[in-house]
Amino acid sequence: MGYDAGDYEVIVIGAGHAGCESALAAARMGCRTLLLTINLDMVAFMPCNPSVGGPAKGHVVREIDALGGEMGRNIDKTYIQMRMLNTGKGPAVHALRAQADKFLYQHSMKETIEKQPNLTLRQGMAEELIVEDGVIRGVVTKTGARYYGQAVVLTTGTYLRGKVIIGELMYESGPNNQQPSVKLSQSLKELGLELIRFKTGTPPRVHKDTIDFSKTEIQPGDENPKFFSYETTEPVPNQLPCWLTYTSSETHEVINRNLHRAPMFTGQIEGTGPRYCPSIEDKIVRFADKPKHQIFLEPEGRNTAEYYVQGLSTSMPEDVQLQILRSIPGLEQVEMMRTGYAIEYDAVVPTQLLPSLETKAVSGLFTAGQINGTSGYEEAAGQGIMAGINAARKVQGKEPVILDRSEGYIGVLIDDLVTKGTNEPYRLLTSRAEYRLLLRHDNADLRLTPIGYEIGLISQHRYDAFLLKKEMVAAEIGRLKEARIRPDEDTAQFLEKIGTAPISQAVDGISLLRRPEVSYEQVSTLVPSPHELSDDMKEQVEIQIKYAGYIEKQLAQVERLKKMEKKKIPDDIRYEEIHGLASEAKQKLQKIRPVSIGQASRIAGVTPADISILLIHLEHYNKVKAARNG
């Protein structure tokens, strides 16, 4: 017998990285929100690598923060190491990465959720969705509790029909030996949603005291670390290093000798694995010519002896895993604390979603995170905040917030999923963004803070600080444009000292700063600013001046894209009746039902000729509709 357990506006199922952002966003936007999770001790748990950020992923965390989300603030409080990657390359690919104290990260996020007004955190396993006439009404748990809501966000991660695989051993399980969610998959199928089977994996964990660090290379954090959140001002003291080692020829021999016991090669694993995070056995087979592969030893926290063996994801039998570990320099005497494993799980085919992350099949039902076929905590959190925002706006009767590809990596991620789908766990990469010079790590606030403020997730105090920064950057660029640097003796000596060519006539500050070898600090020594600028303001001034030409070109491309996005496609268009469209285009357009010409143009199999025919049809359609209404 069931019972009525409560009435909410937004219900979020799953409290991983997507669920936490969803629930906090909805609650902060004023909705009575329920966050339901199988185990309260696993809120914001990191079942895989104890880190946040990296290429493209770090950009997403900054974007979440610029919108008013929590991941950036949380990792800034709980990191044990912070490093900026790709500093030898251009600003488009600079990426911040933090090692997390995974236990502190969890506890800090749980505390934030528990203290959040409008948000109820509750333990319970959702087993069935309540749907009436194609509209979501609530959820039923294993204990028979019926929670009612006007919008539901599913963020189930790798728990849906989760199955752990270690060598010949297979058993039903969520990550880290948690309970799997079995019945919810069936409920989704009954609602007409198509599911796909994916796989991910994790490496073994080893005991710190059994590692010989003298055989490895130290990887320290940055001396003056940057932060993910624009609100963070103070660094965490006493960073912990990571360590680098490599596989050996013996490692490769052990793996090759035991391939007949590897589930990946024996057909025991049905799910498709992540291409960009392959298991060690897959790497050895696919890259047989490589004599060694990098292995990073990463501490899981300050108060634990567990080290994460990054680069050694595997589903080999336990005894083989120990042999592999002990064949690696520095790990010859190592003790394994946790065994690596593969996990299979159900995901929703993401082309069944609208760009708001609402399902097309059920009004008010949203999905976010690994259930949508992605991999990674950051991709999950990025979808999570957007699903939470749009669930709240659905309840409030407002239009959804949809980021386009020129506004954020989150926009690229969601557009890729709902327009192209994915046949393997999707990982965000900088190469997926055609406007990556605009979507830099340093300017996430300039791109997205106004949106966060408008929807009520950015405070007035923070917005005022943002406006001041924007104003001061613009004023400093204007000042450098007017500043004159004269070719006198002092200037000649200074330019020679910094290794740049002399000037023969007076130039403005911008002309000098455009030289690749000249920094803002050097120009401001010659023409000092009357105002004190923060480091991130100086960075903005330098990037905006040095890359102005490239930025302007990309902005012109964006304007063309926006014209395509503004051409909306009505819901009732019947593609099968459009004369001249190729058969493949008809099928793809009918299946995905794009919301704009821009989205239609990005569907695989839809050609520029198909788009031209569609535009002509839309013009005719709009004329007929106007005549009827006129």
Side-chain angles (χ1 to χ4, degrees), residues 55-76:
K57 292 166 175 281
H59 294 66
V60 168
V61 182
R62 292 276 276 188
E63 290 176 3
I64 291 165
D65 184 74
L67 288 166
E70 199 60 34
M71 185 176 248
R73 281 189 287 244
N74 204 57
I75 188 62
D76 284 353

Side-chain angles (χ1 to χ4, degrees), residues 9 62 99 119 132 147 164 209 215 232 263 285 406-407 466 480 483 496 506 582 630:
E9 288 171 302
R62 292 276 276 188
Q99 283 300 126
L119 181 52
E132 292 170 10
Y147 295 101
V164 161
D209 296 344
K215 295 182 179 177
T232 306
V285 171
S406 66
E407 289 178 305
F466 158 76
L480 289 175
E496 188 182 353

